Amino acid sequence: MIDRIRRFYPFSPAVFVLLNIFSPETVFASGGGEGSSLLTSISASILAATVFAYLANLIRQPLILAYVLAGVVIGPQCGLGIIRSESDIQTISEIGLILLLFIIGLELDLKKLKESGKSLIVTGVSQFLLCLAMGLGFFLLLGVTLGGSGPTTYTIFGITVRGGPYDLLYLGACLSMSSTAIVVKLLYDKFELDTLAGRITLGVLVFQDLWAIILLGVQPNLANPKVLLILLSFAKGGLLVLISFLISKYLLKIIFRQIANLPELVLVASLGWCFFVCAIANLFGLSVEMGALIAGISISTFPYNLDIISKIISIRDFFVTLFFVGLGMMIPNPMNNPGLLLICLAAAVFLIATRFLSVFPVLYALGNGHRVSLLSAINLSQLSEFALVITAIGIKSEYGHVGPDTLSIIIFVFVITSIISTYMIQFSHSLQKTLSGALSLVGIRDIQNAPKEAAAEAYKEIAILGFYRTASSLVREILDRKQDMKDKIVVVDYNPTVHQKLKALGVKVYYGDISNMETLHHARIEGARVVVSTIPDSILVGTSNLKLIRQMRRLCPHARVVVTAENIKSALEMYNEGADYVIIPRVITAVNFLPVLETLVTGKGPDLKSEEMKRLKDRGDEVVLI
């Protein structure tokens, strides 16, 4: 392909430079070393991802699809062959998955999962088993065989498929799992991870990860399953959880309390903890992805977890982008076996159908109503990246469980369902309403008074962004004079001392950076009626009151926004930007001091000194002395 371009554009300097930089001869020249190859592969992948993501954004298409297409174009299977060493990108993308699962663990509030109750537990257990049973029956009817001692062939829709002795089990099991990377990424973008449907979806994905661990434990002994080896795997997993939680409780909590005022150190320590637990998991023969999940869960109760999440997200997105680009490079050329695409399309449609057949009836029967039941099924309508890993292991020569066409089917189904489910999740609410109407027409009525989303119950009416002197005095006034308002406020601040003292006083508080939209979302700011920023721009770091106004208009468009300005010009600019009220401290001080000054000048009126001393003594200390 590159030689062909050289012939058409022999005198173009730009083309000459690009082709010599990214040509396989240059990229993979032995003299450059493996580090040079890896660096060039990453550079080409990010450049391609940027270009395609920009184009996708112009036509309002999901970025995940742009990343996959970028991998197809620069990969060796269907594209230009700019990158041939797929192992380079797979190594980096694995780090992305580790960070993704670490963040999932940080997000995984066990109390909230417990509040989801039997809906989560029953669905998490039954979904995989129901999908597995349906998958085995479906592929058995299509003609996929089970058993034998080596490579085999069978016919589906008149198409000859090169398989192995355990294709039926692999296809049935792999099509029962959904993609954590895709689901979490899309639900993050939609701010729906913390809804009831989002929590059930996440819970089902966690159960699927547990099923995947079981499969990985059974896989080496599939021809001759050994119960003791399987039990040993479970014992190792339990030991890893115990070690992680003990270290977290008795050592990490002390360390994090000491370094809480150093955000960079908090980030480094968090990543160090993540990879430390991953290393132990690998030592135990468990998946490093599960180690990352356990590492996140073990520190999810720390007050600093939101701040950790906000800092890791950018790193995670970089590596996850490479994961999807690497996926695109793995897609086989469909022209090598066009008939195989028909089987893949049928399997993809079947997978989506099984999600509705295994998830909706269970959740509906447990009293969750159309909305939660359908949204959970929609969210899970794709194939898992775990399926690629499991099948890739199964095709190795030492196992020989599946044939090459089976791996191609799994890859194509992953791609097809990733594309379809991306749009399904993107427009999930419209799709849910349509499906709900269709269900009502056939007699499956929505349940009256279905459980409300827990997120709505936790909304606070007043959100205070940042806790400095003015906010400290304001909260003290509320506690002293307006006790009924205490349960209506939520505070978001970076100071761990603020977190401890407000929590002790019974005030809802979140530790995190108010300039980060993720932090504000997790603090449930979108449900507030009034949002207040009492910190002037000269003290704010990483944001400004103008930026906060714009963020609030996006995050909670119906809320009244109160911000702080240091001069009249800035205040007018903030009003024009959409602020409902602007605090100008010096103006408020002057307005309130004028009657005092008048009393002091005339000598008429109450004894201001005695009254003020009594009021201050009755008031006591501020919430935080600063």
Side-chain angles (χ1 to χ4, degrees), residues 27 117 154 156 188 381 410 525 594 611:
V27 173
Y154 46 87
I156 301 178
Y188 254 172
S381 297
I410 294 294
I525 301 302
L594 183 58
E611 285 190 357

Side-chain angles (χ1 to χ4, degrees), residues 159 167 177 180 199 201 258 309 315 358 403 451 501 543 567 579 613:
I159 302 160
D167 283 8
M177 296 183 290
T180 299
R199 290 203 308 275
T201 301
Q258 293 175 344
I309 292 169
I315 305 173
S358 64
K501 290 199 174 186
T543 188
N567 54 62
M613 286 180 67

Side-chain angles (χ1 to χ4, degrees), residues 22 161 273 365 433:
F22 293 118
V161 178
W273 170 245
K433 289 179 181 178

Side-chain angles (χ1 to χ4, degrees), residues 255-277:
I255 294 174
F256 272 81
R257 190 180 299 126
Q258 293 175 344
I259 65 174
N261 290 322
L262 301 170
E264 294 82 3
L265 192 52
V266 170
L267 173 63
V268 172
S270 303
L271 291 175
W273 170 245
C274 172
F275 288 109
F276 172 72
V277 178

Side-chain angles (χ1 to χ4, degrees), residues 190 192 371 374-375 378 423-438:
K190 294 183 68 180
E192 290 185 10
R371 176 180 166 78
L374 288 171
L375 286 177
I378 291 169
Y423 288 104
M424 288 175 66
I425 296 175
Q426 204 78 349
F427 303 102
S428 59
H429 295 283
S430 301
L431 180 58
Q432 176 266 317
K433 289 179 181 178
T434 302
L435 292 173
S436 181

Side-chain angles (χ1 to χ4, degrees), residues 201-215:
T201 301
L202 183 59
V204 172
L205 289 169
V206 171
F207 273 96
Q208 288 182 359
D209 288 340
L210 297 177
W211 287 113
I213 290 175
I214 295 173
L215 292 175

